[in-house]
Amino acid sequence: AQTVTQSQPEMSVQEAETVTLSCTYDTSENNYYLFWYKQPPSRQMILVIRQEAYKQQNATENRFSVNFQKAAKSFSLKISDSQLGDTAMYFCAFRIANAGGTSYGKLTFGQGTILTVHP
Amino acid sequence: DVKVTQSSRYLVKRTGEKVFLECVQDMDHENMFWYRQDPGLGLRLIYFSYDVKMKEKGDIPEGYSVSREKKERFSLILESASTNQTSMYLCASSLPWQTISGNTIYFGEGSWLTVV
């Protein structure tokens, strides 16, 4: 079974500064996808960034980037130039790449980290 | 834009009642999901459907059932609501996992259910 752990229940950062959210996971699979989702106070969950495990290069989306350490099973999210609109709960998630079996279609989420950006 | 609509944002039900949570997506997605979100536990998968009339149990299916009679609609049913089912319920949809786009999952706004 796969598990995803976010050890930081809450984080805060000043506007324009950089913050890193931590995520570790446990799996025996070799091919998988990792995701960071953002859930603002309005509750609409949106995808922030995605990483394929077979890619060594870390994914980047504008101010959001990840530090993917496959051997350490670590997948942290870095937010640069933090903005007030980044205030949200952030979820790390995992999915096996190959469909089939009892894990088919299962996206496993961490517990979430509440990020507050202060002006 | 993909739209996933959950018919009820806030519901209050009594213990023992049968509860229906409805979800509709407008992008012809094959996959649909029901998650439950609780503080400190993150999102946990209740049920998943990859086609009409097809369903798979997630991590916490006990006390729930689902129905997918049409591709765009996925219903979560609480046969006999209990207080420990008080939670936020999130519906989601995606294309098949085998497609590149299938790795993006789209969520509804959530339904807050309180069972008293």
Side-chain angles (χ1 to χ4, degrees):
Chain A
Q2 283 65 233
T3 60
V4 178
T5 302
Q6 293 177 249
S7 59
Q8 306 155 315
E10 295 186 41
M11 294 278 286
S12 64
V13 65
Q14 292 297 126
E15 199 174 4
E17 292 186 349
T18 296
V19 64
T20 299
L21 307 184
S22 301
C23 173
T24 58
Y25 58 94
D26 189 26
T27 184
S28 58
E29 300 289 332
N30 192 48
N31 295 320
Y32 49 86
Y33 297 94
L34 293 161
F35 309 84
W36 278 99
Y37 280 89
K38 171 184 176 181
Q39 188 180 44
S42 66
R43 293 288 181 175
Q44 185 82 46
M45 187 94 72
I46 55 176
L47 178 66
V48 174
I49 200 164
R50 176 177 67 214
Q51 174 81 43
E52 291 86 347
Y54 64 86
K55 289 186 177 179
Q56 292 186 343
Q57 186 173 3
N58 289 324
T60 300
E61 287 287 341
N62 301 315
R63 297 182 296 107
F64 299 88
S65 62
V66 298
N67 182 5
F68 173 48
Q69 302 289 328
K70 191 172 183 179
K73 296 181 181 174
S74 171
F75 182 61
S76 60
L77 175 70
K78 186 172 84 170
I79 306 174
S80 304
D81 187 25
S82 297
Q83 301 176 359
L84 296 177
D86 295 334
T87 292
M89 178 169 280
Y90 287 81
F91 289 98
C92 179
F94 169 100
R95 188 180 77 75
I96 296 172
N98 299 319
T102 58
S103 296
Y104 182 76
K106 184 175 174 180
L107 190 63
T108 302
F109 286 84
Q111 303 88 335
T113 297
I114 299 173
L115 175 67
T116 304
V117 180
H118 297 286
Chain B
D1 285 348
V2 174
K3 192 167 178 65
V4 179
T5 304
Q6 294 181 232
S7 57
S8 304
R9 289 299 309 276
Y10 302 95
L11 304 94
V12 180
K13 298 292 182 180
R14 294 193 180 278
T15 301
E17 274 192 77
K18 191 169 186 177
V19 181
F20 292 87
L21 298 180
E22 305 287 345
C23 175
V24 175
Q25 50 94 3
D26 66 357
M27 282 300 291
D28 203 35
H29 284 171
E30 282 77 3
N31 295 341
M32 294 191 75
F33 312 82
W34 275 106
Y35 284 90
R36 171 176 171 162
Q37 181 177 354
D38 298 289
L41 297 177
L43 276 72
R44 294 178 291 167
L45 182 63
I46 304 172
Y47 266 99
F48 158 64
S49 170
Y50 55 91
D51 202 350
V52 175
K53 296 189 187 294
M54 307 304 290
K55 61 185 179 183
E56 293 275 347
K57 292 182 179 179
D59 293 320
I60 52 165
E62 297 77 18
Y64 303 94
S65 63
V66 291
S67 172
R68 191 154 180 214
E69 296 297 319
K70 293 185 178 181
K71 191 175 184 180
E72 68 271 17
R73 187 179 298 271
F74 192 36
S75 303
L76 180 69
I77 303 155
L78 286 67
E79 295 291 342
S80 177
S82 63
T83 55
N84 63 12
Q85 292 178 311
T86 291
S87 186
M88 158 76 100
Y89 291 88
L90 285 164
C91 176
S93 73
S94 79
L95 288 169
W97 295 124
Q98 295 90 336
T99 65
I100 295 294
S101 299
N103 282 305
T104 300
I105 182 170
Y106 298 88
F107 285 85
E109 291 188 332
S111 297
W112 279 104
L113 172 66
T114 302
V115 183
V116 298

